[in-house]
Amino acid sequence: MTRKLIAMLAVCCLAGVLGCSRGERAALVVYSGAGLRPPVAELVEVFSKRHDVKVETIYTGSGLLLSQMALSERGDIYIPGDQFFMQQAVDRGFIVAQADAAYFIPVIGVQKGNPEGITGLKDLTREDLKVGLGEAKACAVGRSAVVMLTRAGILDQVKPDYTATTVNELGNHLKLKTLDAAIIWDAVARFYPDEVDIVDIEPAYREVLTVPVGVLRFTKNRELAQAFMALVSGDEGKRTFSRHGYTVSR
């Protein structure tokens, strides 16, 4: 299946989410990176009850979300896992306001107890390991991996056995023991406390990513969208992110 066809199918699914076939429209539509799901879902529930509105949320890779927005030109809020993707949205004229919500710390996720003795990025070049990476154009963790492996001078030496479109897929493969190691977010690794351990990436190579939240120019309710952005980026939002194991200060 081609990338273009996948994008078109995603837009068709999005149209269903928006209720176009029924002549209805959700009060707010939020595009969120898949790795942000736990805190975003909680904040969506809080906001929905507080403002008595319906909020529909689409979770997938940040780059895939950007493609969906470009094709559909619909929605209210964009929460990618990386400022890189937000800047692309800004450059396309999609964003009318933005703020910072949290930070992603990339780590190497390994099997519980680290049975393969992985100590850093350069171990990912080992032929005896099954390694997972994100797709650089599809998700923030994939783009970050490329940056860090390039800094370490080993990008061409790391041959992933699995390439994912979301960081959650990588976490699930670690949980199922089909991968020995994968570059994921620290917060996502904490989804699996009984199956996954964290190996810190060397500070010289590590890239800390800012998680932004932005209001889309397509919004039909700017005031409501601004209020949602304020919730996510404000003190209550930061407490929610922190409670789910996300980093909220640098």
Side-chain angles (χ1 to χ4, degrees), residues 46-77:
V46 168
F47 189 84
S48 297
K49 292 178 179 179
R50 188 171 297 167
H51 293 270
D52 192 25
V53 296
K54 181 180 179 183
V55 181
E56 299 287 357
T57 315
I58 299 95
Y59 298 102
T60 190
S62 300
L64 297 179
L65 292 172
L66 191 59
S67 297
Q68 289 185 24
M69 290 187 293
L71 288 168
S72 68
E73 295 195 346
R74 290 176 176 152
D76 304 276
I77 295 288

Side-chain angles (χ1 to χ4, degrees), residues 33-36 62 80-82 85 103-109 139-145 148 166-168 170-171 174 182-192 196-198 201 206-211 245-247:
L36 297 161
S62 300
D82 184 358
F85 289 105
Y103 300 93
F104 269 144
I105 312 296
V107 298
I108 302 171
C139 58
V141 77
R143 190 202 67 81
S144 181
M148 294 185 294
T166 71
V167 67
N168 302 55
L170 295 170
L174 287 169
I183 294 179
I184 58 177
W185 306 131
D186 57 341
V188 172
R190 295 186 186 107
F191 295 175
Y192 313 99
V196 176
D197 276 343
I198 288 173
I201 292 172
R206 187 171 57 222
E207 179 188 41
V208 178
L209 275 63
T210 300
V211 176
Y246 293 72
T247 301

